[in-house]
Amino acid sequence: MVTFTINGKEVQGQKDWTILDVARWEGIPIPTLCHHPAVEPYGACRLCVVEVDEGRRTRIVISCMYPVKEGIKVRTDTPRVQNVRRWIMQLLLDESPASSYLKELAKSFDVKPSRFQKAGVSFACHLCGLCVRACQEVVGIQALTFSNRGLKKEIASPLQMGSKDCISCGNCLYVCPSLGMEQLYARMRA
Ligand code: FES
């Protein structure tokens, strides 16, 4: 077992656990968007940032991918952490203004859509990739994928066509935190 502290409280986790695993185990809240226990961590949203003091320096890390280490001091709610989370939330919201899930989440960070929000977006997806990973890792097929790059990046069926691989299991709908997957699913089945 690895022993360290979160917000001054001594905690323990197994060697292959992440900071987020231990925080969840201890009931310490850390916001997440792209994390789901059924799939491998992916580090897409960065909302789960925390501050880690490893003796020589203190830095901001993403807790869903950062492995626990003996003696580190983790803080989940410092002004620096809150500030970084607000910035990330602002970027996510401006990237995906159609996501009512993100809009609700943003309220808890006191973040509102800015004048830089992407225009003309009606798709509620915020590219957390949970649907793609659930399809690949849980179901074992590739009916979904990331398509394009940068501002044009989106979730789609391969070659943007109705997917023959899809077995209509609904796993993607189940893990999707927004309504984006419902919209895409309807497109795929059309
Ligand atoms: S939950 Fe950690 S990066 Fe998304």
Side-chain angles (χ1 to χ4, degrees):
M1 295 295 271
V2 177
T3 306
F4 62 104
T5 64
I6 300 182
N7 300 338
K9 178 187 176 190
E10 189 171 290
V11 294
Q12 285 194 317
Q14 293 179 19
K15 276 190 185 126
D16 57 346
W17 283 19
T18 63
I19 291 173
L20 182 65
D21 291 332
V22 179
R24 292 247 156 119
W25 181 261
E26 293 287 337
I28 298 165
I30 295 177
T32 61
L33 194 60
C34 69
H35 181 267
H36 193 287
V39 293
E40 289 296 314
Y42 182 57
C45 72
R46 312 210 155 238
L47 208 54
C48 64
V49 288
V50 294
E51 207 173 68
V52 171
D53 181 350
E54 293 192 55
R56 295 182 307 278
R57 56 188 177 153
T58 302
R59 59 193 179 127
I60 294 284
V61 303
I62 48 176
S63 62
C64 70
M65 296 192 77
Y66 202 84
V68 294
K69 291 182 191 165
E70 192 69 34
I72 56 172
K73 296 186 182 83
V74 179
R75 280 180 288 269
T76 64
D77 212 18
T78 63
R80 187 179 172 204
V81 169
Q82 288 170 1
N83 205 23
V84 174
R85 281 193 198 140
R86 265 200 298 275
W87 271 104
I88 292 168
M89 193 68 242
Q90 187 72 67
L91 290 171
L92 288 166
L93 187 62
D94 288 345
E95 267 290 296
S96 312
S99 169
S100 36
Y101 177 80
L102 272 190
K103 280 186 212 155
E104 273 309 305
L105 192 61
K107 278 186 201 161
S108 61
F109 289 83
D110 202 19
V111 167
K112 299 184 181 70
S114 82
R115 64 197 167 95
F116 298 111
Q117 71 175 281
K118 221 185 207 174
V121 182
S122 59
F123 195 38
C125 177
H126 43 260
L127 300 173
C128 67
L130 276 174
C131 53
V132 175
R133 288 178 287 146
C135 190
Q136 292 177 0
E137 295 175 31
V138 179
V139 191
I141 57 175
Q142 292 197 337
L144 291 167
T145 184
F146 284 105
S147 169
N148 300 324
R149 291 184 182 197
L151 288 174
K152 293 193 172 155
K153 190 172 177 184
E154 61 176 359
I155 306 287
S157 50
L159 305 178
Q160 307 271 5
M161 295 162 69
S163 176
K164 292 195 188 83
D165 290 334
C166 179
I167 57 169
S168 303
C169 65
N171 265 287
C172 52
L173 293 172
Y174 180 72
V175 295
C176 178
S178 73
L179 290 175
M181 200 55 230
E182 271 180 41
Q183 292 173 297
L184 178 62
Y185 195 73
R187 254 199 253 163
M188 279 170 64
R189 307 309 297 167

